[in-house]
Each structure stands twice: as structure tokens, then as C-alpha cells.
Amino acid sequence: MSESVAAEHDYIGLSEFPTMEATMSDITKNEDGLNFKATELRLGLPGSESPERVDQRFLSIKSSCPVSGAKRVFSDAINGSNKWVFSSGSTTATGDVGSGSGPGSSAVKDGKSTTFTKPAVPVKEQKSSATAPASKAQVVGWPPIRSFRKNTMASSQSLKQGNNSEIEEAEAKSGPEQPCLYVKVSMEGAPYLRKIDLKTYKSYLELSSALEKMFSCFTIGQFGSHGGCGRDGLNESRLTDLLRGSEYVVTYEDKDSDWMLVGDVPWEMFLCSCKKLRIMKSSEAIGLAPRVMEKCRSRN
Amino acid sequence: MNLRLPSKVLEHIISFIDSNEDRNSVSLVCKSWFETERKTRKRVFVGNCYAITPAAVARRFPEMRSLTLKGKPHFADYNLVPDGWGGYAWPWIEAMAKKSPSLEEIRLKRMVVTDECLELIAASFKDFKVLVLTSCEGFSTDGIAAIAATCRNLRVLELRECIVEDLGGDWLSYFPETSTSLVSLDFSCLDSEVKLSDLERLVSRSPDLKSLKLNPAVTVDGLESLLRRAPQLTELGTGSFSAELKPEAFSKLSEAFTNCKQLKCLSGLWDVLPEYLPALYSVCPGLTSLNLSYATVRMPDLVELLRRCSKLQKLWVMDLIEDKGLETVASCCKELRELRVFPSVPDLDATNVALTEQGLVFVSQGCPKLESVLYFCVQFTNAALITIARNRPNIKCFRLCVIEPFAPDYKTNEPLDKGFKAIAERCKYLQRLSVSGLLTDKAFKYIAKHAKKVRMLSVAFAGDSDLMLHHLLSGCESLKKLEIRDCPFGDTALLENASKLETMRSLWLSSCFVSFGACKLLSQKMPRLNVEVIDEHPPETRPESSPVERIYIYRTVAGPRLDMPEFVWTIHKNPEIGVSHLAIK
């Protein structure tokens, strides 16, 4: 099927450039008799690791900015784009061109499935980590196409390939799939919603402390310093008082569209039936009639 | 004779100056002009978010209403900048929230924006009107919901090619129930389906809506319904067309388009079936901008569409248009100013795509107003380049990507030096240039000498030696941004021309042979440059002469940045501290 080919091109030295040309042109004549330079490119000097491999490590570094607490950037989507193999008509010579090429094989990173492969001109297979089903190893960022375009083209390709294509597309774009239970959490008086994954909590206690952290900013009436929501002990304890005291209650809408108080049923049952959450003032929660809920929502 | 204008008069005069370049010149005249200018500048543009601190910007421009920021280097678009590099919007939003609460417009490009940033924007700027995020990442649809819900005077919300964690289409329901002031909404980069009824109602209660760009999840039926409710649109990005053609749907869509008499810009068209294209014929004569770059449609169908677009000024298309299609464009689209031809997916069709250098030659001959070109092509010739330069000396932006690295003129086997020389010589207004194909140092000598107005230059897989960089850095009078990858030069040219770097916004070098020792020297010689090495290994663990993988150098008055990840190293100005990724210990 498809083979993973390492593309090697050695920058040995400036004066040797013409020599390399000559070597290449011997090897890489395509059918039309035109001399094409092999699209063999290795980045970095002999002996140093190919930056593509390094790239892979970079992309696995999930560094968070200490200043902004940035969420992990969504490198999965970016990863996927590098498989957009752009093969021109030329053949590629394999093996070590020039000395000391070391383990410089530059296989395309990661094994996401949405690659489209052009049948490669037969080449010797390099001893690369053949993770990707790409037909040719590719230089990072060449040709210079934006990731967004690559992703869009890749997923439209997979759509055309039919069957399971939608699943592939979803995978390609949204990263690893895990069953998760996203529910909306709204709060009386807060200008917008949060969404949480109920599966990340194991008990009502965990859930309630998470909610306290998330919404403490609103009850205080101002935005804390970044990431400061809940970190300020005063905020947290005040909200706890509010939540545990009489002022706020946490309610949820269940599968029958009834609004119930959170905490009445066993946790697992709650997980199965909860559709959305709402933190409301106790006074509003009396009765828990659906019409009351509507009124609360529209006031926001 | 000491003539001084009263400051009120000066203020009034300066208020007519819109261009920031002019305003920058004004502010250099003398202190009082500096003061007056800064107090009247409303639109602030910061091309490199690390060149200056947010606090300094807020301090200098108290009347700022619009802020535009750019973060990552341009090559980040092509995955050359690792994740986590930087470009965080947070410090800017935080500072402006405190010091410039009257800010109304924020435009960010290539920055990391979190939900917290968006929430802070929503909470802090009472009269917030415009949010445009281009190639940004780091946020989810929750953040967008916050903006929609809270910014009551929101006019523009555009997400252009962002990477967004899409938690579902609910965000759209957070716009206020009463009528909105929306003029432009672009959510084309989101994946999830938005409830059509929400979208319909939003469009119906947004009487000022002029620009609407849908995501691929919106179907043909949805599009038709929305067009019926918003016939006043001037810009439309369609949803997708991947359903089979239903005759009734087609005629309804046709009619809907016929009623959009003001439509000027059309985009989207993801996977459009050729059978649907005739529905667009009615709007073609009025179109000035058409983006077919996601339309996997063959040349004959493209030609049928394009020959009706006599007013077209901007065309983005894939190489499926072939030379023949471009010939039609050349004869029918006489108003064309900008052409971009993107490579299609290689194995989309069985036959070879018939797009060569001739296509661009046709357009250069037929379209007298052509000034901006982005062209991907497998190979090229000097003759074509020379012809294009002769035909179109008015070209301002010329980006040629010969996809085959090191590809010579395929007819003569020579380097493309002569061709690019012609471009540089003849196109006297050239501001942006990207070169490719086989090029020797000579090509850069010509470019350096003749391309006097070039501000941004991109180079890949070219040149023979340090001479190429030396030419560029000692010539190219207007050069502001230079990005180079995979070229065989070392330290000499860089160090000899260090002073040039302070006249530029930034320099990107990757996979060249610049050594760590040179970076150190440069950093120590030039106090107002940040010299950042991107390398997963601490450069100190290797000999000083060993080359580093990527270098990003930029001028700054903010000092070394404080948010570098582990793989970005800066060389302290104080040689005792040496190298670290912590700017200040």
C-alpha cells in the first residue's frame, strides 16, 4: 500500500551544491526526461535530528502560559494537517545521500487516519517509524498552505471517501473522542453559561465545589483577577455560604423536562438523567414549576 | 522664526490623518506634535505583540478605541512554530480592561485567545462593537457565547480560520432576544451545527446585517431560508452543498439569490456540486469578490460561472481552473485586482491538473488592474516571469510558490534568477514578494537592489551562500519582515548586517546554518532586539558553532518576554546570566 518515505537532502556545504545536483539528477529523472531535484529535504545538519521529529516533541509539549493560564492549544487539529501530502511528479531517491545523515528520516508525524495517499512512485522504504500512511514524507510546512485549508481539504476528502467518513472527520477535527456528558450550567443573574462535563466528577461534593469555583465571581458582582475566581479564599467561602445557606440552590432538568433539586437521587442516577443545571435563588426555586423556569431564563 | 501652532489647531489638523504610518511620522516631528498626535489616535496597530508592553500602549494612547494586534510569526501558519510558543492575548486584554475601558474594537491575528479573555472583554468594555479573530486559537464556543450575550452593541463578530473548541451550536442563542446591532457575523470556521431556527430569528432581528458567513453545517435549505430573510446582504459565505441536487431546492435557492441584489462578495461554497452553480448566475454580474478556493469544481463549470462576473475584482480559486479557465478570466474579468490560485488535493482527480505558468501569463495580459498575485504551480519559467513583469508593472504583491523545491526553469534548466529580477525591476511598487524555485545568490542581489518598496519577503530553499542574506540585509530599503527557511547561509551576513535588524519588525530564520554563538553575539550587540532561539535542547549543551533550528529576531522596547516556553531560549544581555528561557531571574 502506501509507503513511508524519508526525504533526505543533505546540506553538506556550499561548494558541494552543484555536485549534489549532479548526483540527484542521475537518480531522479522522471518519465518526461526532465531533471527534477528530488524533493528530498532534511532539515538541519547531518547528525542533528530532523526538526520534524523534534516538532513532534514540541507539539506534545502542552505548556500553559503562566500569565494567562491558557488552555491547551488544540494541537491535535494542527497535527492532523501535516499529513496533507503534496506529491509532485518526481521520484525520490532514498538512502543516505551524503555522509552522516544519521537517523534523519523524517516521517510524517502522527497516525490520524484522514490522509489521502497518492500511489507513490516505487521507492525503497526507509527505516522510518512508519506510523503515518502517507505516501511521501513531507517537509514541515511545505508547500506553504495554511493549516485551516489543509484541515478543510482533508476532511472534505474523507467525506468523499464515504462510510465512516463523518466519524473520521469528527475525529480529525475534534481530537480524541471520549464519551463525555456536557451539560449547561446557568446561574441566576450571570450573563452567560458554562458547560461542564459531568463525567469528570465522581460525587455531588466534587460537583458542588467545582460549581462554587466557577460561579463565585458572579455572586461577588465583579470579575476577579484572571484565574482568581475561587482562588481568593474570601470569595469561595462566601459562595459556599450562599450555596449552602438559603440563598442559592442548585437544580437540574431531568429527562422528563422536570426541574429537580440536585442531590436527591444517587449520583449515578443523576448522571443518567441530568440534562442541564441551574443555580437559582431559593426563592425562585419554590415549586420548581416549569413556567417558573421559563421566566427565569428569559430574564437573563 | 519660531512658529508654533496652537495645540487645538494642531489637534484638529491631525484628526484628519487616518493612516498610522503618517501618524507615526507626525509623532516624530517634535515633542508637542508627539503629544498632540498621541492624544488623538483612535486606531492603534501593533504589528508584533511583543514589541511593546500593553501598559505602554494604553498610556500613550488614552483615546484608543480600536486595537489591532498580531502575535505569532507568519510561518506559524505553516506549522513552523511549535505549540505553546506564545502570542497570548491575555496580558493585553487585562491591561486594556483596566486602562482603556472605552475600547470598542479588538482585532487579533495569530494569537492565543482563551475563554477567559473573551469573558473579560465582554465584562469590561461597555460599548464593545467589533471582535475579529484571525487564525487564533485557544478558546471555545463558550467564550463566543459570552460575547454574544453581554455585548449589547456588538456590530462585528468574525472568526476567521480560527481553531475553536466547538462545544455545540448553542452559542448562537445567546444573542439578545431584542433586535441586535449586528452588521457582520462570520462563524465559518466552527464545526457544530447551529439551530437553524435560532439563526433565522437572529437574522430576522438584525436589520443592519450586511455580512453573513455560515459554517459548513448549514445546508442548502438553511441557506435559502436565511437569504429570504436577509436579501440586503452584501457579503455571503454559504454553507455546504453536499446534499444531492433536489430540483425544488435548486429553484428556491435560485430565487433567493435573485433577490439578493446587493450581493458583492461570495465565499464558502464548500464542496459545491456543479449542478448548483447556475443558482448563482443571477448574482454574478454584481460580484466584486468570489472565493471558490474550496469549490472542487471542474474548469468548464468554473468558466460558466466566471464569464458572467464582469465586475470581479478578487478571485480565489483552485488550480482546477486550469490555464484555459484563467484565459477566460483574462478576457471576462477586466476589473480583476487580486488573483489567488491554490493547489487542489493531489488525487482529487485522475487526470493531471492542467495549470501551468501560462495561466498566470494570460491573466497578466488580460487584466490591466492586476496588482496582487498568489500562485501555486508545479513549475515555472523565466520567460513567463519576465512576461508577467512586463505586462503588469503595477503589481504590488507577488507570491509565487513553485511547489517543487529547487525547481529550475523547466524549459531551460536555469535558475529563476532572471525571472525574479524582472519582477523586482519592473514592479516598482512591489510591497510583498515570495520567491521559490531554484535561485542562486544572484537573484537576491537583484531583489535587494531593485525591490525598493518591498516590505515583506519570504524565501525558501534558495541561494548558495551567505551572500544571499548579505544582499537582502544590505539592500531592500523598505524591508520590514523577512522570513527565510532552509537556505544555506551561516553567521557572517547576519552579524555584519545586525544594524539592519533594528529597522525591521522581525526576522525569521529556520533550518539555516546560523550558529548559537552568532545568536549570542547578536543579542549582546543589539540591546533592542530580542533574539529568540527555538530549539528543544538547551543550546548551551552543544558547541557554540552548532546551528540552531529556528531563530526569531524582532525589535522591541519591552525587553525579553516573560512567557517563553521551555523550548524558546533567549540570550541575556548580561553575559553572566547566559542563556535561559526565563527572561529575568
Side-chain angles (χ1 to χ4, degrees), chain A residues 180-184 195-198 275, chain B residues 165 167:
Chain A
C180 46
L181 199 58
Y182 277 114
V183 297
K184 283 192 271 192
K195 219 156 182 169
I196 59 171
D197 179 359
L198 282 184
K275 277 187 355 193
Chain B
E165 186 181 6
L167 301 172

Side-chain angles (χ1 to χ4, degrees), chain A residues 11 14 37 39 43 45 55 58 65 68 75 78 81-82 88 139-142 146-147 149 193 195 226, chain B residues 77-79 82-83 88 90 116 161 167 174 293 346 376 403-404 406 464 485-486 488 513 536 550 566:
Chain A
Y11 286 119
L14 313 171
K37 283 244 163 11
T39 45
L43 309 173
L45 281 185
D55 271 350
F58 284 173
C65 168
S68 79
S75 50
I78 301 174
S81 70
N82 270 343
S88 54
V139 176
V140 174
W142 192 264
R146 280 195 182 163
S147 316
R149 175 170 292 276
L193 298 195
K195 219 156 182 169
H226 171 75
Chain B
D77 283 352
Y78 316 128
N79 292 352
D83 283 347
Y88 301 105
W90 176 260
E116 283 81 2
E161 297 195 348
L167 301 172
Y174 286 93
S293 64
F376 282 83
I403 296 173
E404 181 81 35
F406 309 113
D464 313 309
R485 60 168 295 179
D486 292 275
F513 295 137
E536 62 151 10
R550 290 156 225 222
E566 315 86 79

